[in-house]
Amino acid sequence: MSFSEEELRLKAILENVVDGIITIDEVGIVQTYNPAAENIFGYSPEETIGKNVRMLMPEPYRREHDQYLDNYLKSGIAKIIGIGREVVGLRKDGSEFPLELGISEAWLEDRRIFTGIVRDISERKQMERQLVEERAFTVAVLETVVDGIITIDEVGVVQTYNPAAENIFGYSPKETIGKNVRMLMPEPFRSEHDQYLDNYLKSGIAKIIG
């Protein structure tokens, strides 16, 4: 069987994209399975093509998959086809991992196929968890330090105001956040504060910053 130039081009694209691309037939049997999918799941094409795609899913997705396909073919009501969603995949080694899945439907003459594009998002999820943990740690530190800590934006409006600052000034966060920090200063500092900020932003010359 010879391939046309267009077929060779498409084959090259499928074999080199970073996302896993898997096609299945109407009963969930894997028809194609690209190298990126092999890298993601750990199974070779020989181990997946001709098998039900549910082998790549943990429970409860595995037992629900065939019923979902059957319901869609009978009713035409799609729950995830045409809509990207986050699901859980199952690697050959038995480990589960988060992935983004997008499914599309196409017809090849009188035969319907479904194409799934999968992306392993384990690293992104790990980074998100780390950010949440770091934020929680930072908040815990700010809430418990004995020094007052206040952050403001470029025009002097208070963005954060910790409990120690509340103890020092007597104002609550509700009374300060969103207000100009000059409210915490007596004259002449109060009237000079906005001008000082403006001068610093224009000149870069700091009198007290640092």
Side-chain angles (χ1 to χ4, degrees):
M1 177 180 177
S2 61
F3 291 94
S4 68
E5 184 178 341
E6 181 64 22
E7 288 171 329
L8 290 172
R9 185 182 297 112
L10 290 173
K11 186 173 185 290
I13 291 171
L14 290 175
E15 289 183 350
N16 289 283
V17 293
V18 295
D19 291 332
I21 300 177
I22 303 167
T23 60
I24 64 172
D25 64 15
E26 290 185 339
V27 292
I29 302 301
V30 176
Q31 306 295 300
T32 65
Y33 179 89
N34 76 336
E38 182 175 1
N39 291 335
I40 291 170
F41 291 99
Y43 289 102
S44 68
E46 291 75 21
E47 293 173 294
T48 52
I49 293 174
K51 307 287 177 57
N52 194 297
V53 73
R54 63 173 176 257
M55 68 184 286
L56 306 177
M57 309 169 188
E59 296 293 357
Y61 306 104
R62 178 177 294 194
R63 65 173 176 267
E64 295 172 352
H65 183 262
D66 288 353
Q67 187 60 53
Y68 169 75
L69 259 183
D70 186 59
N71 290 341
Y72 172 66
L73 294 173
K74 289 177 179 176
S75 68
I77 299 172
K79 292 183 179 178
I80 62 171
I81 294 173
I83 303 172
R85 64 179 295 191
E86 188 176 306
V87 296
V88 179
L90 181 67
R91 296 190 182 94
K92 183 179 180 178
D93 64 9
S95 61
E96 298 180 10
F97 66 101
L99 61 85
E100 284 183 348
L101 171 65
I103 300 177
S104 61
E105 177 184 14
W107 285 87
L108 299 178
E109 297 179 349
D110 60 345
R111 184 164 62 97
R112 176 165 29 196
I113 62 167
F114 299 95
T115 301
I117 299 178
V118 298
R119 177 174 297 175
D120 185 347
I121 56 173
S122 301
E123 187 174 330
R124 190 181 82 192
K125 284 294 182 181
Q126 178 61 27
M127 290 178 63
E128 289 175 355
R129 283 193 294 271
Q130 288 177 350
L131 286 172
V132 169
E133 290 170 1
E134 288 170 6
R135 177 176 172 78
F137 177 79
T138 301
V139 169
V141 170
L142 291 176
E143 293 289 317
T144 55
V145 292
V146 295
D147 294 329
I149 299 176
I150 303 168
T151 62
I152 63 173
D153 64 14
E154 290 185 339
V155 293
V157 175
V158 176
Q159 306 296 300
T160 65
Y161 180 89
N162 75 336
E166 182 175 1
N167 292 334
I168 292 169
F169 291 101
Y171 289 102
S172 69
K174 187 176 180 180
E175 294 174 294
T176 53
I177 293 174
K179 308 288 176 56
N180 195 295
V181 72
R182 63 174 176 258
M183 68 182 287
L184 306 178
M185 307 171 189
E187 293 294 355
F189 306 105
R190 177 177 294 195
S191 57
E192 294 172 351
H193 183 263
D194 288 353
Q195 188 60 50
Y196 167 75
L197 260 183
D198 186 60
N199 289 342
Y200 172 68
L201 293 173
K202 290 177 179 176
S203 69
I205 298 172
K207 294 182 179 178
I208 61 170
I209 293 174

